[in-house]
Amino acid sequence: MLLTIPELLNPAQLAKIHETLAGAAFVDGKLTAGFAAARVKHNEELRPEPARMQRLTRILMASLGHHPIFRFGVLPHRVADPIFARYQPGMAYGDHVDDPIMGSDGPRFRSDVSMTVFLNQPEHYDGGELVIRTTFGEQRIKLPAGDAVVYPSSSLHRVAKVNQGERLVALTWIQSYVRDPAKRELLYELNQARESLLKNAPDQAATGYVDRSYANLLRMWGDV
């Protein structure tokens, strides 16, 4: 399932992120890539600085915890600390899938869902689309600053070459309580129906059936 999350970050949060990144050092992105990805990865990533990273992570994680699309579409169990990446003209990231097990510097976790948060407006750079291969063909994604997209980490995807300007994004990976993307999609859609019924018809028998079905499917499929 591919979901977009509009306005994950508001203008004040975006301004604070750009202010925190001002003057920061970026290093070759290959330093955090696995063997296969390193062959096709050509970008730069923020050099880890504890105080700066703490400020950036706090801003992003606060928004994630409150956004309903993220909470119910991803069903997050563990969320990795974000990586901030930039692409200058000529940079790209070829076809790859994300590493299945992450957390070499801390607790290990399984990557079920990948997330890209766009930090620059799309008109500020030419090219740089996130291209995800799906059963319905390639999906090319380039969202407004503050918007995010989540998609299965098993998806083959790439970042198209940036021709002009600078592409700036935050990236993170999530282990979901429900590892199967098809089951997550069913739960997400069922929850949308459940919330509508709870709001508009809370006393109807059908509302109770849907509410219990959602809870028990999550209990059946959830992996803690």
Side-chain angles (χ1 to χ4, degrees), residues 52-105:
R52 194 189 305 266
M53 283 303 303
Q54 187 178 44
R55 290 195 298 272
L56 293 167
T57 299
R58 187 165 54 243
I59 294 168
L60 183 57
M61 293 305 174
S63 292
L64 286 180
H66 292 94
H67 204 291
I69 295 179
F70 181 78
R71 289 169 52 216
F72 293 106
V74 175
L75 297 171
H77 181 28
R78 295 186 178 92
V79 182
D81 287 341
I83 288 175
F84 290 80
R86 71 181 183 188
Y87 291 74
Q88 306 280 14
M91 293 184 177
Y93 197 161
D95 282 330
H96 66 285
V97 296
D98 293 329
D99 289 343
I101 305 295
M102 296 189 176
S104 58
D105 297 328

Short mmCIF file of all heavy atoms in Angstrom, two decimals, residues 52-105:
data_model
loop_
_atom_site.label_atom_id
_atom_site.label_comp_id
_atom_site.label_asym_id
_atom_site.label_seq_id
_atom_site.Cartn_x
_atom_site.Cartn_y
_atom_site.Cartn_z
N ARG A 52 22.17 18.31 17.08
CA ARG A 52 21.39 18.69 15.90
C ARG A 52 20.37 17.59 15.57
O ARG A 52 19.20 17.86 15.29
CB ARG A 52 22.32 18.94 14.71
CG ARG A 52 21.64 19.67 13.55
CD ARG A 52 22.54 19.69 12.33
NE ARG A 52 23.86 20.24 12.58
CZ ARG A 52 24.19 21.52 12.39
NH1 ARG A 52 23.27 22.37 11.95
NH2 ARG A 52 25.42 21.93 12.62
N MET A 53 20.83 16.34 15.59
CA MET A 53 19.94 15.23 15.25
C MET A 53 18.81 15.11 16.27
O MET A 53 17.67 14.77 15.91
CB MET A 53 20.72 13.92 15.18
CG MET A 53 21.53 13.75 13.91
SD MET A 53 20.52 13.86 12.39
CE MET A 53 19.32 12.57 12.70
N GLN A 54 19.09 15.38 17.52
CA GLN A 54 18.04 15.31 18.54
C GLN A 54 16.95 16.32 18.26
O GLN A 54 15.75 16.02 18.39
CB GLN A 54 18.65 15.55 19.93
CG GLN A 54 17.68 15.33 21.07
CD GLN A 54 18.34 15.52 22.42
OE1 GLN A 54 19.10 16.47 22.64
NE2 GLN A 54 18.07 14.62 23.35
N ARG A 55 17.32 17.54 17.87
CA ARG A 55 16.32 18.57 17.56
C ARG A 55 15.49 18.16 16.35
O ARG A 55 14.25 18.28 16.36
CB ARG A 55 17.00 19.91 17.30
CG ARG A 55 17.61 20.55 18.55
CD ARG A 55 17.93 22.01 18.31
NE ARG A 55 18.92 22.20 17.27
CZ ARG A 55 20.23 22.21 17.46
NH1 ARG A 55 20.72 22.02 18.68
NH2 ARG A 55 21.07 22.41 16.46
N LEU A 56 16.15 17.67 15.31
CA LEU A 56 15.44 17.29 14.10
C LEU A 56 14.51 16.10 14.34
O LEU A 56 13.37 16.07 13.87
CB LEU A 56 16.45 16.94 13.00
CG LEU A 56 17.29 18.12 12.48
CD1 LEU A 56 18.46 17.61 11.65
CD2 LEU A 56 16.43 19.07 11.65
N THR A 57 15.01 15.11 15.06
CA THR A 57 14.21 13.92 15.34
C THR A 57 12.99 14.27 16.18
O THR A 57 11.88 13.76 15.94
CB THR A 57 15.07 12.86 16.06
OG1 THR A 57 16.16 12.49 15.22
CG2 THR A 57 14.25 11.62 16.39
N ARG A 58 13.16 15.15 17.14
CA ARG A 58 12.03 15.55 18.00
C ARG A 58 10.93 16.21 17.18
O ARG A 58 9.74 15.92 17.39
CB ARG A 58 12.53 16.49 19.09
CG ARG A 58 11.47 16.83 20.13
CD ARG A 58 12.07 17.46 21.36
NE ARG A 58 12.88 18.62 21.04
CZ ARG A 58 14.18 18.71 21.26
NH1 ARG A 58 14.85 17.70 21.79
NH2 ARG A 58 14.85 19.82 20.96
N ILE A 59 11.29 17.06 16.24
CA ILE A 59 10.29 17.72 15.41
C ILE A 59 9.52 16.69 14.58
O ILE A 59 8.27 16.70 14.54
CB ILE A 59 10.95 18.75 14.46
CG1 ILE A 59 11.57 19.89 15.27
CG2 ILE A 59 9.93 19.31 13.47
CD1 ILE A 59 12.47 20.79 14.46
N LEU A 60 10.24 15.80 13.94
CA LEU A 60 9.59 14.84 13.05
C LEU A 60 8.75 13.83 13.82
O LEU A 60 7.60 13.54 13.45
CB LEU A 60 10.65 14.12 12.20
CG LEU A 60 10.13 13.13 11.15
CD1 LEU A 60 9.18 13.83 10.18
CD2 LEU A 60 11.29 12.51 10.40
N MET A 61 9.29 13.29 14.90
CA MET A 61 8.57 12.25 15.63
C MET A 61 7.31 12.80 16.30
O MET A 61 6.31 12.09 16.44
CB MET A 61 9.48 11.61 16.67
CG MET A 61 10.63 10.81 16.07
SD MET A 61 10.03 9.53 14.91
CE MET A 61 11.59 8.92 14.27
N ALA A 62 7.33 14.05 16.72
CA ALA A 62 6.13 14.65 17.31
C ALA A 62 4.99 14.68 16.31
O ALA A 62 3.83 14.42 16.67
CB ALA A 62 6.44 16.05 17.81
N SER A 63 5.31 14.98 15.06
CA SER A 63 4.26 15.01 14.03
C SER A 63 3.76 13.61 13.69
O SER A 63 2.56 13.39 13.50
CB SER A 63 4.79 15.69 12.77
OG SER A 63 5.02 17.06 13.00
N LEU A 64 4.67 12.65 13.62
CA LEU A 64 4.27 11.29 13.29
C LEU A 64 3.30 10.73 14.33
O LEU A 64 2.31 10.08 13.99
CB LEU A 64 5.51 10.38 13.22
CG LEU A 64 6.40 10.53 11.99
CD1 LEU A 64 7.56 9.54 12.08
CD2 LEU A 64 5.61 10.29 10.71
N GLY A 65 3.60 10.97 15.59
CA GLY A 65 2.78 10.39 16.65
C GLY A 65 1.34 10.87 16.65
O GLY A 65 0.47 10.18 17.20
N HIS A 66 1.08 12.02 16.03
CA HIS A 66 -0.27 12.59 16.08
C HIS A 66 -1.03 12.48 14.75
O HIS A 66 -2.20 12.83 14.70
CB HIS A 66 -0.21 14.07 16.48
CG HIS A 66 0.23 14.28 17.90
ND1 HIS A 66 1.55 14.52 18.24
CD2 HIS A 66 -0.45 14.26 19.06
CE1 HIS A 66 1.65 14.65 19.56
NE2 HIS A 66 0.45 14.51 20.08
N HIS A 67 -0.37 12.01 13.69
CA HIS A 67 -1.04 12.02 12.39
C HIS A 67 -1.84 10.73 12.19
O HIS A 67 -1.27 9.64 12.22
CB HIS A 67 -0.03 12.19 11.26
CG HIS A 67 -0.65 12.77 10.04
ND1 HIS A 67 -1.57 12.08 9.26
CD2 HIS A 67 -0.53 14.00 9.46
CE1 HIS A 67 -1.96 12.85 8.26
NE2 HIS A 67 -1.36 14.02 8.36
N PRO A 68 -3.15 10.82 11.96
CA PRO A 68 -3.97 9.60 11.88
C PRO A 68 -3.63 8.71 10.69
O PRO A 68 -3.75 7.48 10.80
CB PRO A 68 -5.41 10.14 11.77
CG PRO A 68 -5.26 11.57 11.31
CD PRO A 68 -3.97 12.05 11.87
N ILE A 69 -3.23 9.28 9.55
CA ILE A 69 -2.88 8.43 8.40
C ILE A 69 -1.67 7.58 8.74
O ILE A 69 -1.63 6.38 8.44
CB ILE A 69 -2.63 9.28 7.14
CG1 ILE A 69 -3.91 9.99 6.71
CG2 ILE A 69 -2.11 8.39 6.00
CD1 ILE A 69 -3.74 10.87 5.48
N PHE A 70 -0.68 8.17 9.41
CA PHE A 70 0.49 7.40 9.80
C PHE A 70 0.13 6.35 10.84
O PHE A 70 0.50 5.18 10.73
CB PHE A 70 1.58 8.32 10.34
CG PHE A 70 2.83 7.60 10.74
CD1 PHE A 70 3.75 7.19 9.79
CD2 PHE A 70 3.09 7.33 12.08
CE1 PHE A 70 4.90 6.51 10.15
CE2 PHE A 70 4.25 6.66 12.45
CZ PHE A 70 5.15 6.24 11.49
N ARG A 71 -0.63 6.73 11.85
CA ARG A 71 -0.95 5.80 12.94
C ARG A 71 -1.75 4.61 12.45
O ARG A 71 -1.46 3.46 12.81
CB ARG A 71 -1.72 6.54 14.03
CG ARG A 71 -0.87 7.52 14.84
CD ARG A 71 -1.73 8.41 15.72
NE ARG A 71 -2.63 7.62 16.55
CZ ARG A 71 -3.87 8.01 16.88
NH1 ARG A 71 -4.34 9.16 16.42
NH2 ARG A 71 -4.62 7.26 17.65
N PHE A 72 -2.76 4.86 11.63
CA PHE A 72 -3.65 3.77 11.23
C PHE A 72 -3.25 3.12 9.91
O PHE A 72 -3.61 1.97 9.65
CB PHE A 72 -5.10 4.27 11.16
CG PHE A 72 -5.65 4.64 12.51
CD1 PHE A 72 -5.83 5.97 12.86
CD2 PHE A 72 -5.98 3.67 13.44
CE1 PHE A 72 -6.32 6.33 14.10
CE2 PHE A 72 -6.47 4.01 14.69
CZ PHE A 72 -6.65 5.34 15.02
N GLY A 73 -2.50 3.85 9.08
CA GLY A 73 -2.04 3.26 7.82
C GLY A 73 -0.78 2.44 7.98
O GLY A 73 -0.58 1.46 7.26
N VAL A 74 0.06 2.81 8.93
CA VAL A 74 1.35 2.12 9.13
C VAL A 74 1.30 1.17 10.33
O VAL A 74 1.97 0.15 10.33
CB VAL A 74 2.47 3.17 9.32
CG1 VAL A 74 3.79 2.50 9.64
CG2 VAL A 74 2.60 4.02 8.06
N LEU A 75 0.49 1.49 11.35
CA LEU A 75 0.44 0.72 12.59
C LEU A 75 1.85 0.53 13.14
O LEU A 75 2.36 -0.59 13.28
CB LEU A 75 -0.24 -0.65 12.34
CG LEU A 75 -1.71 -0.57 11.89
CD1 LEU A 75 -2.21 -1.95 11.47
CD2 LEU A 75 -2.58 0.00 13.00
N PRO A 76 2.52 1.62 13.48
CA PRO A 76 3.95 1.56 13.81
C PRO A 76 4.23 0.87 15.14
O PRO A 76 3.57 1.13 16.15
CB PRO A 76 4.35 3.04 13.86
CG PRO A 76 3.08 3.75 14.23
CD PRO A 76 1.98 2.99 13.55
N HIS A 77 5.20 0.01 15.12
CA HIS A 77 5.71 -0.65 16.32
C HIS A 77 7.05 -0.04 16.73
O HIS A 77 7.25 0.35 17.87
CB HIS A 77 5.84 -2.15 16.07
CG HIS A 77 6.33 -2.94 17.24
ND1 HIS A 77 6.13 -2.56 18.55
CD2 HIS A 77 7.01 -4.11 17.31
CE1 HIS A 77 6.66 -3.45 19.37
NE2 HIS A 77 7.21 -4.40 18.64
N ARG A 78 7.98 0.04 15.78
CA ARG A 78 9.27 0.69 16.00
C ARG A 78 9.54 1.63 14.82
O ARG A 78 9.29 1.27 13.68
CB ARG A 78 10.40 -0.33 16.10
CG ARG A 78 10.32 -1.25 17.31
CD ARG A 78 11.55 -2.13 17.40
NE ARG A 78 11.52 -3.00 18.57
CZ ARG A 78 11.04 -4.23 18.59
NH1 ARG A 78 10.54 -4.75 17.47
NH2 ARG A 78 11.03 -4.96 19.69
N VAL A 79 10.06 2.80 15.13
CA VAL A 79 10.38 3.79 14.10
C VAL A 79 11.86 4.15 14.23
O VAL A 79 12.33 4.50 15.31
CB VAL A 79 9.51 5.06 14.24
CG1 VAL A 79 9.83 6.06 13.13
CG2 VAL A 79 8.02 4.70 14.23
N ALA A 80 12.58 4.05 13.12
CA ALA A 80 14.01 4.35 13.13
C ALA A 80 14.24 5.86 13.23
O ALA A 80 13.41 6.67 12.79
CB ALA A 80 14.67 3.83 11.85
N ASP A 81 15.37 6.23 13.82
CA ASP A 81 15.76 7.64 13.77
C ASP A 81 15.90 8.06 12.31
O ASP A 81 16.42 7.30 11.49
CB ASP A 81 17.10 7.84 14.49
CG ASP A 81 16.97 7.74 16.00
OD1 ASP A 81 15.83 7.86 16.51
OD2 ASP A 81 17.99 7.50 16.67
N PRO A 82 15.45 9.26 11.96
CA PRO A 82 15.46 9.66 10.56
C PRO A 82 16.87 9.93 10.04
O PRO A 82 17.80 10.21 10.80
CB PRO A 82 14.61 10.93 10.55
CG PRO A 82 14.77 11.48 11.94
CD PRO A 82 14.87 10.29 12.84
N ILE A 83 16.98 9.85 8.73
CA ILE A 83 18.16 10.28 7.99
C ILE A 83 17.74 11.47 7.13
O ILE A 83 16.66 11.45 6.52
CB ILE A 83 18.71 9.14 7.11
CG1 ILE A 83 19.37 8.07 7.98
CG2 ILE A 83 19.72 9.67 6.08
CD1 ILE A 83 19.84 6.85 7.20
N PHE A 84 18.56 12.50 7.09
CA PHE A 84 18.29 13.66 6.26
C PHE A 84 19.24 13.62 5.06
O PHE A 84 20.46 13.60 5.24
CB PHE A 84 18.44 14.95 7.06
CG PHE A 84 17.36 15.11 8.08
CD1 PHE A 84 17.41 14.44 9.29
CD2 PHE A 84 16.25 15.90 7.81
CE1 PHE A 84 16.40 14.56 10.23
CE2 PHE A 84 15.23 16.03 8.75
CZ PHE A 84 15.31 15.35 9.96
N ALA A 85 18.66 13.57 3.87
CA ALA A 85 19.45 13.38 2.66
C ALA A 85 19.20 14.53 1.68
O ALA A 85 18.09 15.08 1.62
CB ALA A 85 19.10 12.05 1.99
N ARG A 86 20.25 14.88 0.94
CA ARG A 86 20.08 15.89 -0.10
C ARG A 86 20.69 15.39 -1.40
O ARG A 86 21.62 14.59 -1.41
CB ARG A 86 20.70 17.22 0.31
CG ARG A 86 22.22 17.26 0.34
CD ARG A 86 22.73 18.62 0.78
NE ARG A 86 24.19 18.69 0.75
CZ ARG A 86 24.88 19.71 1.23
NH1 ARG A 86 24.26 20.75 1.77
NH2 ARG A 86 26.21 19.71 1.16
N TYR A 87 20.10 15.88 -2.48
CA TYR A 87 20.55 15.54 -3.83
C TYR A 87 20.85 16.84 -4.55
O TYR A 87 19.98 17.69 -4.72
CB TYR A 87 19.46 14.78 -4.58
CG TYR A 87 19.19 13.39 -4.07
CD1 TYR A 87 18.49 13.20 -2.87
CD2 TYR A 87 19.60 12.26 -4.78
CE1 TYR A 87 18.22 11.92 -2.39
CE2 TYR A 87 19.33 10.98 -4.31
CZ TYR A 87 18.65 10.82 -3.12
OH TYR A 87 18.39 9.56 -2.65
N GLN A 88 22.09 17.00 -4.97
CA GLN A 88 22.52 18.14 -5.77
C GLN A 88 22.42 17.75 -7.25
O GLN A 88 22.22 16.59 -7.59
CB GLN A 88 23.96 18.52 -5.41
CG GLN A 88 24.21 18.76 -3.93
CD GLN A 88 23.75 20.14 -3.46
OE1 GLN A 88 23.02 20.83 -4.17
NE2 GLN A 88 24.19 20.53 -2.28
N PRO A 89 22.53 18.72 -8.18
CA PRO A 89 22.44 18.39 -9.60
C PRO A 89 23.37 17.25 -9.99
O PRO A 89 24.54 17.21 -9.61
CB PRO A 89 22.84 19.71 -10.28
CG PRO A 89 22.38 20.76 -9.32
CD PRO A 89 22.67 20.18 -7.96
N GLY A 90 22.80 16.30 -10.72
CA GLY A 90 23.55 15.13 -11.17
C GLY A 90 23.42 13.93 -10.26
O GLY A 90 23.80 12.81 -10.63
N MET A 91 22.90 14.12 -9.04
CA MET A 91 22.78 13.01 -8.10
C MET A 91 21.48 12.24 -8.31
O MET A 91 20.45 12.80 -8.71
CB MET A 91 22.85 13.52 -6.66
CG MET A 91 24.20 14.09 -6.28
SD MET A 91 24.24 14.56 -4.52
CE MET A 91 25.95 15.10 -4.37
N ALA A 92 21.52 10.95 -8.00
CA ALA A 92 20.37 10.06 -8.14
C ALA A 92 20.59 8.85 -7.25
O ALA A 92 21.66 8.68 -6.65
CB ALA A 92 20.19 9.63 -9.60
N TYR A 93 19.58 8.02 -7.16
CA TYR A 93 19.68 6.76 -6.41
C TYR A 93 18.98 5.71 -7.25
O TYR A 93 17.77 5.76 -7.44
CB TYR A 93 19.00 6.92 -5.04
CG TYR A 93 19.34 5.88 -3.99
CD1 TYR A 93 19.11 6.13 -2.65
CD2 TYR A 93 19.89 4.64 -4.33
CE1 TYR A 93 19.41 5.21 -1.67
CE2 TYR A 93 20.19 3.71 -3.35
CZ TYR A 93 19.95 3.99 -2.02
OH TYR A 93 20.25 3.06 -1.06
N GLY A 94 19.75 4.76 -7.76
CA GLY A 94 19.21 3.77 -8.69
C GLY A 94 18.28 2.78 -8.02
O GLY A 94 18.03 2.81 -6.81
N ASP A 95 17.73 1.87 -8.83
CA ASP A 95 16.77 0.87 -8.33
C ASP A 95 17.35 0.08 -7.16
O ASP A 95 18.48 -0.43 -7.23
CB ASP A 95 16.40 -0.09 -9.46
CG ASP A 95 15.41 0.51 -10.43
OD1 ASP A 95 14.60 1.35 -10.02
OD2 ASP A 95 15.43 0.12 -11.62
N HIS A 96 16.57 -0.06 -6.10
CA HIS A 96 17.00 -0.82 -4.92
C HIS A 96 15.80 -1.14 -4.06
O HIS A 96 14.72 -0.55 -4.21
CB HIS A 96 18.01 -0.01 -4.10
CG HIS A 96 17.45 1.22 -3.48
ND1 HIS A 96 17.17 2.36 -4.21
CD2 HIS A 96 17.09 1.51 -2.19
CE1 HIS A 96 16.67 3.29 -3.42
NE2 HIS A 96 16.60 2.80 -2.19
N VAL A 97 15.95 -2.10 -3.17
CA VAL A 97 15.01 -2.31 -2.08
C VAL A 97 15.75 -2.00 -0.79
O VAL A 97 16.97 -2.16 -0.70
CB VAL A 97 14.43 -3.74 -2.05
CG1 VAL A 97 13.60 -4.02 -3.30
CG2 VAL A 97 15.53 -4.77 -1.92
N ASP A 98 15.02 -1.56 0.21
CA ASP A 98 15.65 -1.19 1.47
C ASP A 98 16.07 -2.44 2.26
O ASP A 98 15.47 -3.51 2.11
CB ASP A 98 14.71 -0.33 2.30
CG ASP A 98 14.47 1.03 1.65
OD1 ASP A 98 15.39 1.52 0.97
OD2 ASP A 98 13.37 1.59 1.82
N ASP A 99 17.10 -2.28 3.08
CA ASP A 99 17.59 -3.41 3.87
C ASP A 99 16.46 -3.98 4.72
O ASP A 99 15.69 -3.23 5.34
CB ASP A 99 18.72 -2.96 4.79
CG ASP A 99 20.00 -2.66 4.02
OD1 ASP A 99 20.10 -3.09 2.86
OD2 ASP A 99 20.89 -1.99 4.59
N PRO A 100 16.33 -5.31 4.79
CA PRO A 100 15.23 -5.92 5.54
C PRO A 100 15.38 -5.82 7.05
O PRO A 100 14.39 -5.74 7.77
CB PRO A 100 15.25 -7.38 5.08
CG PRO A 100 16.65 -7.63 4.64
CD PRO A 100 17.13 -6.33 4.07
N ILE A 101 16.62 -5.82 7.55
CA ILE A 101 16.88 -5.71 8.98
C ILE A 101 17.77 -4.49 9.19
O ILE A 101 18.81 -4.36 8.56
CB ILE A 101 17.58 -6.97 9.54
CG1 ILE A 101 16.76 -8.22 9.22
CG2 ILE A 101 17.79 -6.82 11.05
CD1 ILE A 101 15.39 -8.28 9.89
N MET A 102 17.34 -3.61 10.08
CA MET A 102 18.08 -2.37 10.32
C MET A 102 18.41 -2.24 11.80
O MET A 102 17.95 -3.02 12.63
CB MET A 102 17.26 -1.18 9.84
CG MET A 102 17.02 -1.17 8.34
SD MET A 102 16.28 0.38 7.79
CE MET A 102 16.26 0.12 6.02
N GLY A 103 19.21 -1.23 12.12
CA GLY A 103 19.54 -0.94 13.50
C GLY A 103 20.89 -1.48 13.91
O GLY A 103 21.03 -1.97 15.04
N SER A 104 21.90 -1.35 13.05
CA SER A 104 23.22 -1.88 13.37
C SER A 104 23.85 -1.18 14.57
O SER A 104 24.67 -1.76 15.28
CB SER A 104 24.15 -1.77 12.16
OG SER A 104 24.25 -0.42 11.73
N ASP A 105 23.46 0.08 14.82
CA ASP A 105 24.03 0.83 15.94
C ASP A 105 23.12 0.83 17.17
O ASP A 105 23.37 1.54 18.14
CB ASP A 105 24.30 2.28 15.52
CG ASP A 105 25.34 2.37 14.42
OD1 ASP A 105 26.23 1.51 14.39
OD2 ASP A 105 25.24 3.29 13.59
#
